[in-house]
Amino acid sequence: MKWDALNPVPGHYRWADADNIVAWAKANDLDVHGHTLVWYAQIPTWIRESAPTLREGHMREFIDRVLARYADDVTVWDVVNEALEEDGTLRDSVWQQAMGPAHIDIAFRQARLSAPDATLLYNDYDIAEAGPKAEGLHRLLADMDAADTPLDGVGFQMHLTASFDAFDEVAENFRRVAELGLGIWITELDVAMDAGDTEAMQAAVYRGVLDVCLAEPACKALQTWGFTDRYSWRKPRTPLILDPDYRPKPAYLALQERLAGN
């Protein structure tokens, strides 16, 4: 559902692939998490080359067209994706250049108008651990809260490694988000392996993240970014819970065991 896939040229929308996913999910009684409406990447050339004064209108139209089409079938949306730089400042995106910091508020208000019942998230990476980007997130959330921006939760991407151990920092950042009355979604979990790592180490990280989620009442979902190593974007580092032949790995069994005992 990224912009370059749905709306590659002005006035032309290609709905077939997204429609097929939504129809398949509906037929199998599965929820769909929409990803993503406003991002600095994977936007069509015509948007990149558009006049900055026209981009708010383009953004509003895209959000409205997509949400109106899937209002009955997609319950959760990553409205704004990865608007923060590593130092916690706002990214110099085509949206920031056109509208400044207001582009985030504008996007969420349009999304609420177009899909009043949807759950609207801000989604980003490297915000679960302590550091400048996490602090930038909390400043952004405070600004959105002060502006009464219609935000329902935060998506934590969590592309980790098997040596990850900063679970206390994750729990603290989750707590700070929950204190604002916002939900927490772990949206893109995977755990890459490097030389010397073991599948037992990887499984412990998956289980540790799940432990943090289950301990925080505001944590609504844990979603892996793919499920088989065969097709992962981090494929050489075997980050997912099924191997390339779709066989369960220790990480899969660790999640299953922890959920069964919850």
Side-chain angles (χ1 to χ4, degrees):
M1 293 182 176
K2 296 184 177 76
W3 198 323
D4 61 350
L6 287 182
N7 180 211
V9 296
H12 176 67
Y13 282 80
R14 300 189 302 193
W15 299 111
D17 288 344
D19 283 354
N20 287 340
I21 290 172
V22 170
W24 181 86
K26 192 173 183 178
N28 287 277
D29 195 27
L30 298 171
D31 293 332
V32 178
H33 184 135
H35 178 83
T36 178
L37 298 171
V38 178
W39 191 23
Y40 73 91
Q42 289 190 242
I43 49 179
T45 300
W46 70 272
I47 288 292
R48 293 189 184 279
E49 296 178 350
S50 65
T53 55
L54 299 179
R55 287 180 196 158
E56 178 180 340
H58 293 323
M59 184 180 77
R60 286 182 177 276
E61 179 185 359
F62 179 74
I63 292 171
D64 187 59
R65 290 286 296 272
V66 176
L67 293 191
R69 188 175 188 88
Y70 298 116
D72 294 334
D73 300 311
V74 180
T75 57
V76 180
W77 286 95
D78 295 330
V79 178
V80 176
N81 193 53
E82 300 176 1
L84 293 170
E85 295 280 13
E86 288 297 330
D87 64 359
T89 62
L90 288 177
R91 188 183 298 277
D92 188 30
S93 66
V94 296
W95 314 114
Q96 177 75 3
Q97 292 164 12
M99 291 165 270
H103 77 275
I104 297 174
D105 182 75
I106 292 169
F108 276 95
R109 290 186 186 280
Q110 182 60 59
R112 180 67 83 220
L113 183 65
S114 300
D117 298 326
T119 298
L120 308 180
L121 307 184
Y122 173 78
N123 190 56
D124 215 324
Y125 62 93
D126 288 350
I127 57 172
E129 299 173 61
K133 192 165 185 179
E135 293 308 311
L137 169 72
H138 296 303
R139 288 193 299 271
L140 174 61
L141 296 180
D143 291 344
M144 296 173 76
D145 184 54
D148 201 26
T149 303
L151 174 70
D152 298 311
V154 176
F156 290 80
Q157 293 187 15
M158 301 196 71
H159 300 295
L160 307 178
T161 65
S163 60
F164 181 83
D165 62 0
F167 300 108
D168 289 346
E169 295 177 13
V170 176
E172 174 61 12
N173 277 318
F174 282 10
R175 183 194 64 77
R176 293 174 69 183
V177 170
E179 281 188 344
L180 295 173
L182 299 172
I184 294 160
W185 275 253
I186 299 170
T187 53
E188 304 183 20
L189 177 62
D190 51 26
V191 182
M193 295 177 60
D194 296 312
D197 292 341
T198 66
E199 289 190 341
M201 292 169 60
Q202 181 183 58
V205 174
Y206 270 103
R207 181 166 183 147
V209 172
L210 178 57
D211 284 340
V212 174
C213 180
L214 291 174
E216 172 51 68
C219 191
K220 306 297 185 183
L222 185 152
Q223 301 161 200
T224 57
W225 197 237
F227 54 90
T228 167
D229 290 333
R230 178 178 294 196
Y231 300 116
S232 172
W233 71 296
R234 306 170 87 184
K235 183 177 180 180
R237 301 169 73 191
T238 60
L240 291 169
I241 61 177
L242 303 183
D243 74 12
D245 295 318
Y246 293 78
R247 292 175 300 203
K249 294 163 61 178
Y252 174 92
L253 300 174
L255 293 178
Q256 186 182 59
E257 179 184 63
R258 180 65 182 86
L259 289 169
N262 184 44

